[in-house]
Amino acid sequence: MHVNVYSKPGCHLCEDALQIIDRMTAQYGLDVTEVNILDDMEMYEQYRDIIPVVEVTDVRVGRLVAPITEPELQAYFTMAQHAILDRSRLRSVVVPYRESALDRLAASIGRHWLRLVLIAMGIFSGLPWLAPIFAALGWWDLANPLYTAYALTCHQLPERAGSVFGYQVAFCYRNTALYAGVFLFGIIYGLARDRGIKRLSWITRPLVWWGFVLMILPLVIDGITHTLGLRDSFDWTLDSTFGSFYMGSQPFGLNWWLRIITGLLAAFGTVWFAFPRMQRAIDESEALRQMYKSRGVPLASKVSQPQQI
């Protein structure tokens, strides 16, 4: 048991306390360190009016301040000794790990997270293309909610969105490429992860952060230049060709290609950067859950430590 005794030269109360502690050293297995408060001005200001101060450092059982008697020291060291023994016993006690329904649900979601993400991305990127089909069939009760819902995530400008049967898709080309790209590249990641395809193993190793930034940067530049009106012209007499940079919102024009390519590139970077890290976090969580399940949980981890008196 380690004990700090705060004192200063010429303090007779400190000398008396040290003599008593010296007699108790063998009984309690004390390792005593005498600390001269004159060596530190802040310590001197803190302890000068209450020395000697005796403090056990192995556990939090408070401290004794002057005047200190032998019965007080004996009671103090006995309390500290019991606290150390109790802490040792707590660490050796293990209680069974009981999973709640919420724990089991979280574990199930963790095992199937990729499938859930792919289903969500497939539905999210596919529904906007059903809206014009419903409109062409006259099913406006189905088409209108889709147009309204996706208006929250897309500007739905006619010159930047596709059309089916003469009706506009509820998503622009960029959003279609971005979210459908996550779906498609997520399938590739799943094949590499679950089927062990060696040619695709690289996608299971997470992309570095600066690589991710480089992959989304073209989409950011493309979006900003469109937002500032630097690239689109509404002169419909111009032909949508690669030689006319300001046009090309129509399918297979320059701007159309840029929206598709930058969207797919950002989706690819997102999958390569995020999916392997997600899998690693889930694997670590599952390993910890299995360890608790097989070995139990140390009781000491459930009990707070004694507080400073």
Side-chain angles (χ1 to χ4, degrees), residues 156-170:
Q156 295 182 343
L157 294 177
E159 70 275 11
R160 299 183 188 177
S163 63
V164 178
F165 300 135
Y167 291 89
Q168 180 182 329
V169 178

Side-chain angles (χ1 to χ4, degrees), residues 168-182:
Q168 180 182 329
V169 178
F171 239 3
C172 67
Y173 292 123
R174 180 182 290 115
N175 280 356
T176 298
L178 182 61
Y179 294 105
V182 171

Side-chain angles (χ1 to χ4, degrees), residues 59 80-90:
V59 289
Q81 192 175 57
H82 289 165
I84 293 172
L85 290 173
D86 289 344
R87 184 179 64 180
S88 178
R89 293 192 193 100
L90 281 174

